[in-house]
Amino acid sequence: MIQPLAYIHPQARIADNVTIEPFVTIHKDVEIGEGTWVGSNATIMDGARIGKNCRIFPGAVISAPPPQDLKYRGEPSTVTIGDNTTIRECVTLNRGTALDKNTTTIGSNCLLMAYVHVAHDCVIGDNVIIANSVQLAGHINVYDYAFIGGTSAVHQFVEIGAHSMISGGSLVRKDVPPYTKAGREPLSYIGINSVGLRRRGFSAATINEIQEIYRIIFLRKYNVTKAMDIIEAEFAPTVERDEIINFVSNSQRGIMKGFGI
């Protein structure tokens, strides 16, 4: 269903069963998958690639050129949104740049609440929730099932690990490892996201092991290299252990600190 008061470029590729409300603007180089709903006054510009069964609420602006990067020189680039993702009111999603990934990616089954900004070349995984007014600078990676609390601001190039949870109003300047909870100022480790892990089917034994690993990293005052050596020596390889080791060992900005460290 396409309302006559919407503007849709004749070369835009709109699948079947897409609902486009009045006063929507859709530019030429746009793809929208079947079953998606686009609310009034949303603007979808060249380079947008939107999956199936998404919901895009009024005032959202997707793939506006140029992205907010002074190095952008007009090169073709994209914003890609996976299936079943909800983009709430006044969200802004900047397209990528040729100097990095050339695309900004939002995964499937995500929820981006009102006034979220995702800058150029970010990669958001699947099942991510980003609450109201969160601001993501460029080149950020947010892994699957992460949650970012409202009005948080995330520095460019930061990595936010899978299943992590960041409290509202946080200033995120360092990487947040997987399975953790982060809060306070400066942003610090405040435990593991045990409630989220239980909801997603992690066993009690796995949750306990994750907690013991992070006690070594954050609470025993070892440096990162020493902590990694101890974890590799004392814990048998598991998916979770290896994910933590790889994330922490490869962190470019450094990980957040333990509270009080």
Side-chain angles (χ1 to χ4, degrees):
M1 182 179 69
I2 300 176
Q3 293 289 341
L5 293 177
Y7 169 76
I8 302 171
H9 193 283
Q11 295 183 37
R13 297 172 291 284
I14 311 297
D16 296 335
N17 303 317
V18 172
T19 299
I20 298 175
E21 301 290 0
F23 310 113
V24 168
T25 299
I26 297 177
H27 289 213
K28 176 181 177 180
D29 182 23
V30 170
E31 298 177 9
I32 301 178
E34 61 186 47
T36 289
W37 173 81
V38 184
S40 297
N41 297 301
T43 302
I44 303 176
M45 305 183 76
D46 289 343
R49 306 287 184 263
I50 300 168
K52 299 177 182 178
N53 302 311
C54 294
R55 303 177 71 209
I56 300 172
F57 279 73
V61 179
I62 298 173
S63 196
Q68 295 171 162
D69 184 348
L70 297 178
K71 299 183 295 298
Y72 180 76
R73 293 293 181 265
E75 64 270 16
S77 58
T78 59
V79 170
T80 300
I81 301 173
D83 298 339
N84 306 305
T85 283
T86 297
I87 308 295
R88 292 297 310 222
E89 295 84 355
C90 301
V91 168
T92 52
L93 305 179
N94 281 185
R95 63 202 295 175
T97 64
L99 292 175
D100 190 5
K101 302 176 183 69
N102 217 50
T103 189
T104 299
T105 303
I106 314 295
S108 297
N109 305 303
C110 294
L111 170 58
L112 276 60
M113 299 186 194
Y115 296 97
V116 165
H117 172 69
V118 179
H120 59 92
D121 302 294
C122 289
V123 178
I124 312 299
D126 297 335
N127 301 289
V128 170
I129 298 175
I130 303 179
N132 296 305
S133 299
V134 169
Q135 309 294 291
L136 301 184
H139 316 284
I140 289 168
N141 287 335
V142 181
Y143 293 86
D144 296 351
Y145 288 101
F147 173 87
I148 306 176
T151 71
S152 296
V154 186
H155 194 282
Q156 63 183 354
F157 295 103
V158 158
E159 306 260 329
I160 297 175
H163 301 278
S164 62
M165 182 175 185
I166 297 173
S167 67
S170 295
L171 300 178
V172 186
R173 305 177 182 94
K174 296 288 187 178
D175 293 346
V176 178
Y179 313 114
T180 62
K181 292 188 297 185
R184 303 188 176 100
E185 173 58 29
L187 194 73
S188 306
Y189 171 76
I190 56 173
I192 67 167
N193 185 16
S194 55
V195 173
L197 295 177
R198 285 196 296 270
R199 287 173 177 170
R200 293 168 204 135
F202 285 75
S203 69
T206 297
I207 293 171
N208 288 337
E209 179 180 80
I210 292 169
Q211 190 166 45
E212 290 301 319
I213 289 172
Y214 279 119
R215 282 176 177 152
I216 293 170
I217 294 172
F218 287 116
L219 303 182
R220 296 188 184 174
K221 299 186 179 180
Y222 296 119
N223 63 40
V224 169
T225 301
K226 179 65 173 177
M228 294 301 100
D229 290 342
I230 293 172
I231 292 164
E232 289 185 340
E234 295 186 0
F235 293 86
T238 63
V239 171
E240 294 77 21
R241 188 210 76 156
D242 293 347
E243 184 175 6
I244 294 168
I245 290 173
N246 289 335
F247 186 99
V248 174
S249 299
N250 294 319
S251 173
Q252 298 298 305
R253 292 191 57 80
I255 62 171
M256 64 183 179
K257 300 298 185 182
F259 182 60
I261 296 178

